[in-house]
Structures are given as C-alpha cells and as structure tokens.
Amino acid sequence: MPQVPQTFDALAVRTWCGLALQALGRARAEIDAINVYPVADGDTGTNLYLTVESAATAVEAVFAGHDAMGAVGGTSDAASAGPGRPTLADAVQAMAHGALIGARGNSGTILAQLLRGMAQVLAADSETAHTDGQGLRLALRHAADSAREAVAHPVEGTVLTVASAAADAASGAEDGCGAVARAAYEGACAALAATPGQLAVLRRAGVVDAGGRGLVAVLAALVQTFTGEAPGASEAVVHARVDDEAAAGRPDAGECGDGPPAEGGPAFEVIYLLEADDAAVSRLRSRLDGLGESLVVVGGDGLWNVHVHVDDAGAAVEAGVEAGRPYRIRITHFAAGDVHTGGAGRPPREPAQRAVVAVVPGEGLAGLYAEAGATTVLARAGEPPVSGELVDAVRRAHAREVVLLPNDAELRHTAAAAAEQARTEGVRVALIPTRSAVQGIAALAVHEPERRFDEDVVAMTSAAGATRYAEVAVAERQSWTMAGICQAGDVLGLIEDDVAVIGSDVTETAEIVLDRMLAAGGEMVTLVLGDEAPESIAAHLESRVRESYLAVDTVVYRGGRQGPLLLIGVE
C-alpha cells in the first residue's frame, strides 16, 4: 500500500483535491443525468467538477510557489511544512478560495462553502492543532453548518442533508483521520440513499439527489487520501438511480424549507463574484430573496459568490452593484424544459438544438442579452475573458449548436480557441466576428433558432456586418491618434476602433460622432449608456436624430459599468 498521510497536512489537501477531481470526472456524466432538482438542467456533475478543478488549481499554484522558493533557498517557518512545502493553512485557504471564485451552479456554490467551512477550522490559529481526527470531525461539522446557513431556504433531501449526515456520522467515529473520513463517507451514503423519500421530485424521477451524489464522490476521495484505498461497492456505495421499492413508503419531507418549487420557475440563473462588506451582503440577501429562489450566498472577508434563480436578471445584477463590486457575472437562460420540475418530475432535458453565447462589456447589457435568450460572459475593463471562460459558457448553454459572439476585435483569437475546444466536445460552433456589443445586438435581433443553422448564421453575420459602431470614451494618457495628439482626460470619439474626434465635452463629442456615422445613411441608431455617461446625453442625441434624420429610429439601453461612456450602433 502506498504511504498515506496520518494527519491533515498540506500534502493531504493536495492529494484530496486531485483525487476528488478524478472522482468527479468519472461520475460527471452520471451526476448530470440525474440532475432534476432544483432545475433539471443536466449540469450538476459538470458544475461540481469545475468547482473542484478551480480549487485543485489554486492548491497546485501554492505548491508551485513554495517549490520556487525552495529552489532559491526559501523555507517555511511552520513545523508542518518543509522546504518548498506550504503550511496546512496555506493549502486549505487556497483550496477554499479557488472553490469560491470557480464555483458553478447551485451545488457547486454549496460545495465551495463546505470547503470554506472546513478551511476555517483546519487553518484556525489556536493552541490546539486541528490536523488529527478530532480536527477533521470539527471541520466537517462546521462545514455542514456553514453551508446550511448560506442557503436562504434549506430543503431536506439535498446536498445539505448529506453533508449534515456526514458530520453526524463522523462525530462518533474512532480517532484517526482515516476512520473519521470513512465514517463521514458511510453516513453520507446512507443519507443519499434516503433522499428520494425526502424530496418528491427525486422519488418521481427515481433518482437520488445529484448534488449529494457529488459530495459522496468528494468524501470517497477523502477516504482514499487517508487510507490509500477507494471505498468499494460493498461499503454502502449507493447508486445514482433507485428502484421504486426503495423509494416507496418513505415520508415526503418536501415541505421542509421551501419544498419543491412550483412548475414554471424563474427563467434565469445569475451568478457573480462580489466584493462587498458583511452589512451590504446582508441587505443583498434580503433583496435577492424577494426577487427569486435557490438563493445561495457564500464567502466572507470581503469576497462572496452569489447564486440565485430569477425572472429579472438585470435586477439581480443591479442589486449586486448596489451592494459592492460584482464581476465574473454569468447569466444563463433556462430553456423551456429547464424550469423547475415541481408537479410532475421528468427526466433531465436533452440539449437544446441551438443557443447563442455572447461576451458583453457591462452588467446592463448582460441582462439585455440574457432576456433575449443568450448565455453571457462579462468582460470588464482590463479583465477580458480567457478561452476557458468561453468554453464554460458554451457548456452552460447546453446546446448542440452554438453561435458565438465575441463582440470585441481583440477577443477574436480567444473566441476561436474556445470554439475549437467546444467542437472537440461535440458541439457545432459558429463564430461570428462581431467587434462591438452593438453588432451583437443586431445579430441577436435576427436570430431564429428554428431556421437551419447555416441560414441563421448567415443572417446574423449579415446583420452584424451591416451595423457600423462607435464609442465615446475618456483618454487615460497622452497618445498619438488618427485625429491628432490627445491628452489624458480628453473625450475621444472612436468610429470602427479609430479615433475620429478629440473633444472636451462628452455630449458634443457624441453628437459629432453620430452625425458622421449617419452621413452615410442608416435606419436604426442604438445607444448603450455607461454608468458614467451624463444623464442628459440620451435625450439630447434622440432629439438630434428626430430633428435631423427623418425615418431613423433610436433605441437606448443601459450598459452599466461597461468601460466606454457610450456605445453607438447604426444599422
């Protein structure tokens, strides 16, 4: 048997993360297939895998950093660490932070809080080291309790129930991390097997809870970390699907908490990271609880991961803006078959035939695109998305065919790499080289999923290509431009990415840019206002179009914190 750690140290954290990632990789398709609660969107296994992948990556980064220090003679002062090896606190805090920033979906967000709860105990600065079996017991208990507190309306028969059962079972285990981990795993297995009797939607579908099944896989990896052996089927491993006899006759505890949501639930899943203080997050919880359901807010120390299902995606994002600084905003539109299954459980949906994935520069546009049915990736100023984020968005879209709108010339190669990766996963992807969000709006306006894929792509490409675009922004530094030398603070009017106007007043500069664009003709003007744009600019430009350009319509959108003060599109 290979040597295994006897206490919870940094190496044990690294091993556990790696084994958990492998376990979820093997179980990913199975977990996706049984995902019916709270939304039958078939992605719980994928979300858990991506959450743990982020945690494992963060831990590996900490080890790599300490290896580099060791290579130049650096050492750690902690007794539990050696040259080039991080402390337990380093490792578990990295694990928790990685899970927090990478959490996906309802179950992934809850798993991130479970890992954070464990880290708070294992990394605690106290006289008693929490590296033995007793420390693991305390960590599992705190994890289960903190995860339950993070969910606005806990429901029994879910991953929360499985986590609590694992902590309960661990409390009576013999000393030693291996014994505690095994007891927690077996308690989780027993609780998972009972979930169909606690939640009617699971019983009708003949499955156990998908999130709980994922937690069992993570705990199995914990057992293997401390024993060197993966738990066998004889050790209470439950199968994803249950027979009718096993589920029949158990009391339906669906009334606990909110119970199964009603048929026809919220249309959007909104997730974002949020920089905010505790008081602001407390107010945010109350507001989001009134907007939707499946609310989970996890994190602390100024950084939070917010997850909610709502009908008004824009309002959920705006609530985050009021609370602090939201970023990495992901808005997913549930297809017709994705809404909550409440009344008559049904199997997980098949992938949609077609979806649109778009990169957008502001929170307001993220809501607008999502309401039009697109899956969005937010690109903040100085924080362009990487190809992995676009691939993740394609996966979240859950469709056989995807139209990808990068909405930025500089993202074309990133989007092309993401499209190529998605194609290797069996998704048919068409990349439309949109260079501005207003071109994306034009493309989305003519999108018809019922058309043949090629015809739809041609129509969307044509609409985007027929849309000239411009933006008004403030110069950050002195530089040479096509219109002359600009100074920091000057107002720049850019047409098709080239500086065409240098001015001192935002409204005047915007009017000059608009006149130049309409000089070549146009039927529709689209204005997307950033948060810093003057309040009167939209009314002024609308009036200018009405008075000077007959038969030209104007539409105005709020873009939020989008970088440029104003985006202009002319079709």
Side-chain angles (χ1 to χ4, degrees):
M1 179 186 300
Q3 185 176 1
V4 295
Q6 298 303 307
T7 60
F8 220 132
D9 59 9
L11 188 58
V13 176
R14 184 188 203 182
T15 302
W16 181 31
C17 287
L19 291 173
L21 189 61
Q22 293 174 21
L24 287 171
R26 291 190 297 269
R28 181 171 170 174
E30 171 198 328
I31 297 172
D32 282 345
I34 64 169
N35 173 202
V36 297
Y37 182 87
V39 178
D41 50 359
D43 63 359
T44 291
T46 298
N47 287 337
L48 290 170
Y49 178 87
L50 293 171
T51 302
V52 172
E53 182 180 48
S54 183
T57 299
V59 172
E60 288 300 325
V62 167
F63 269 85
H66 280 263
D67 286 344
M69 290 173 58
V72 296
T75 61
S76 171
D77 294 331
S80 62
R85 180 180 297 180
T87 65
L88 172 61
D90 291 335
V92 294
Q93 287 169 351
M95 173 186 71
H97 181 74
L100 177 67
I101 65 174
R104 301 290 197 274
N106 190 72
S107 294
T109 308
I110 293 173
L111 178 60
Q113 185 67 7
L114 288 168
L115 296 179
R116 176 179 171 82
M118 292 186 69
Q120 288 175 324
V121 172
L122 296 171
D125 185 10
S126 64
E127 295 181 1
T128 303
H130 297 302
T131 61
D132 57 4
Q134 177 60 17
L136 182 53
R137 289 191 195 95
L138 294 173
L140 290 167
R141 179 79 272 160
H142 185 64
D145 293 345
S146 62
R148 190 171 286 269
E149 291 171 2
V151 177
H153 301 282
V155 174
E156 298 305 329
T158 66
V159 63
L160 297 175
T161 305
V162 176
S164 294
D168 291 343
S171 65
E174 298 178 1
D175 290 335
C177 289
V180 172
R182 188 178 295 276
Y185 167 76
E186 292 176 352
C189 285
L192 179 63
T195 56
Q198 295 176 292
L199 207 52
V201 64
L202 301 178
R203 185 172 65 250
R204 286 191 293 267
V207 299
V208 296
D209 178 67
R213 172 66 183 88
L215 180 58
V216 164
V218 172
L219 291 174
L222 187 63
V223 174
Q224 187 175 358
T225 297
F226 290 111
T227 67
E229 298 178 354
S234 61
E235 296 175 319
V237 177
V238 296
H239 297 288
R241 297 193 178 275
V242 296
D243 57 41
D244 292 337
E245 291 184 9
R250 298 193 184 105
D252 181 7
E255 293 76 12
C256 204
D258 279 347
E263 185 79 26
F268 302 102
E269 177 185 59
V270 178
I271 305 174
Y272 49 81
L273 294 179
L274 177 70
E275 294 177 355
D277 59 34
D278 290 0
V281 170
S282 179
R283 294 190 296 270
L284 175 66
R285 288 179 194 269
S286 297
R287 181 168 178 188
L288 291 180
D289 194 26
L291 285 175
E293 55 191 47
S294 295
L295 173 62
V296 186
V297 181
V298 305
D301 302 319
L303 180 62
W304 309 82
N305 190 307
V306 179
H307 170 281
V308 67
H309 294 172
V310 292
D311 280 322
D312 190 342
V317 175
E318 288 171 7
V321 172
E322 292 178 6
R325 175 180 175 264
Y327 62 105
R328 291 196 185 179
I329 299 171
R330 297 189 296 275
I331 301 176
T332 303
H333 180 265
F334 294 129
D338 282 344
V339 292
H340 296 18
T341 55
R346 53 179 177 268
R349 69 176 173 102
E350 289 293 315
Q353 183 59 35
R354 190 172 308 154
V356 176
V357 172
V359 179
V360 292
E363 298 89 347
L365 281 182
L368 172 68
Y369 271 74
E371 288 169 8
T375 297
T376 62
V377 178
L378 189 70
R380 302 190 67 87
E383 298 179 14
V386 297
S387 61
E389 291 179 78
L390 301 188
V391 173
D392 179 31
V394 171
R395 290 171 181 151
R396 286 188 286 119
H398 199 54
R400 297 182 180 89
E401 301 168 342
V402 169
V403 180
L404 183 56
L405 305 175
N407 291 340
D408 187 334
E410 294 185 0
L411 286 178
R412 183 169 182 177
H413 294 300
T414 299
E420 189 60 34
Q421 173 61 36
R423 291 183 188 114
T424 67
E425 299 178 10
V427 182
R428 187 181 183 188
V429 182
L431 171 60
I432 297 179
T434 49
R435 294 178 289 171
S436 170
V438 292
Q439 287 189 325
I441 291 173
L444 200 56
V446 300
H447 169 54
E448 292 186 13
E450 296 77 18
R451 264 192 307 229
R452 287 179 52 201
F453 185 63
D454 292 339
E455 293 176 355
D456 198 29
V457 171
V458 168
M460 295 176 72
T461 303
S462 178
T467 302
R468 299 188 299 281
Y469 64 94
E471 67 180 56
V472 177
V474 176
E476 297 180 356
R477 59 186 178 276
Q478 182 187 61
S479 61
W480 291 85
T481 75
M482 296 287 290
I485 300 175
C486 73
Q487 305 296 326
D490 282 348
V491 180
L492 305 181
L494 295 88
I495 299 177
E496 306 281 326
D497 297 323
D498 289 327
V499 176
V501 181
I502 300 175
S504 58
D505 180 81
V506 174
T507 302
E508 289 180 3
T509 302
E511 182 177 323
I512 294 171
V513 170
L514 185 57
D515 284 341
R516 291 193 184 183
M517 296 181 73
L518 286 172
E523 299 175 358
M524 170 72 75
V525 171
T526 300
L527 304 175
V528 182
L529 305 180
D531 281 348
E532 304 301 320
E535 287 293 330
S536 60
I537 191 170
H540 180 86
L541 295 178
E542 285 184 290
S543 176
R544 174 68 176 172
V545 172
R546 281 196 306 269
E547 294 172 2
S548 303
Y549 303 96
L550 299 177
V552 177
D553 295 323
T554 305
V555 61
V556 179
Y557 300 112
R558 294 283 174 178
R561 302 180 187 180
Q562 63 182 25
L565 300 174
L566 174 69
L567 297 176
I568 303 173
V570 174
E571 298 178 50

